[in-house]
Amino acid sequence: MLNSTSSTSSYFVLEAYLHVGTLRYLLFMLTAVIYMFILISNTSLIVVICMNRSLHEPMYVFLCSLFVNELYGSTGLFPFLLLQILSDVHTVSRPLCFLQIFCVYSYGSVEFTNLAVMSYDRYLAICCPLQYNARMTVNKAVTFIIVLWFYSFVKFLVTLSLNIRLPLSQ
């Protein structure tokens, strides 16, 4: 629901959040523990891949990209979710809403594009095992990752820039 003061509303009222009373502190702690687990596990996996020279192979570089994307996606979602769990008034400003939309959708786009590139990597490893090392080097893997992140951000940035200009319905 929108603030109905004008056609360009400044905030949204999130009516889907239920009043859970004192259980919100338990829900906050559970969500915070999940978020911390995501941060610690993905960061430790990234550090292990970066520090261990034997893991500097294309498949592990793609996995590292997935772990970075998990950090990006969870950081785009969890802090605001934690804030809303503790809040009595569930509102979100329009710019923050669009920022969170961008983060969540670009996270999904990077995830699926990265999985598609990983499937191509596995295809080369299975179907062309003798030529795999010549066709898929670490430099090519890094190039694929840069292109897929850039593509995902630009693709959704264009979509979001077109949607920001639209008036919101009352």
Side-chain angles (χ1 to χ4, degrees):
M1 174 181 268
L2 297 173
N3 176 14
S4 59
T5 59
S6 67
S7 63
T8 59
S9 299
S10 61
Y11 65 90
F12 295 98
V13 176
L14 306 174
E15 294 180 351
Y17 285 96
L18 300 173
H19 179 71
V20 291
T22 57
L23 280 178
R24 69 180 171 180
Y25 300 111
L26 176 66
L27 292 174
F28 176 82
M29 290 305 294
L30 279 168
T31 307
V33 166
I34 290 170
Y35 181 50
M36 288 299 163
F37 177 75
I38 290 170
L39 290 178
I40 292 168
S41 62
N42 283 310
T43 304
S44 62
L45 288 168
I46 291 168
V47 168
V48 166
I49 290 173
C50 290
M51 296 301 217
N52 194 343
R53 296 288 278 165
S54 66
L55 298 179
H56 290 186
E57 296 293 324
M59 188 62 179
Y60 294 107
V61 174
F62 292 132
L63 284 173
C64 191
S65 175
L66 279 177
F67 300 144
V68 170
N69 190 40
E70 291 296 326
L71 288 175
Y72 168 71
S74 60
T75 303
L77 178 68
F78 276 95
F80 184 71
L81 179 63
L82 290 168
L83 179 71
Q84 288 301 314
I85 289 173
L86 287 181
S87 178
D88 289 329
V89 179
H90 303 293
T91 61
V92 60
S93 67
R94 187 174 174 177
L96 185 61
C97 182
F98 284 125
L99 176 66
Q100 193 167 20
I101 289 170
F102 176 78
C103 288
V104 170
Y105 277 93
S106 60
Y107 157 75
S109 179
V110 168
E111 189 85 8
F112 290 126
T113 310
N114 202 352
L115 290 172
V117 171
M118 286 176 74
S119 66
Y120 173 69
D121 175 65
R122 292 296 85 198
Y123 167 79
L124 284 179
I126 293 168
C127 294
C128 308
L130 298 177
Q131 301 168 355
Y132 174 74
N133 289 330
R135 288 188 177 185
M136 183 61 74
T137 62
V138 175
N139 290 337
K140 285 184 184 176
V142 170
T143 303
F144 276 131
I145 290 169
I146 291 169
V147 168
L148 76 89
W149 277 80
F150 182 74
Y151 166 75
S152 296
F153 279 113
V154 169
K155 177 181 74 169
F156 194 71
L157 195 60
V158 168
T159 303
L160 189 64
S161 68
L162 293 173
N163 286 324
I164 285 176
R165 292 188 225 144
L166 295 175
L168 300 173
S169 61
Q170 297 289 326

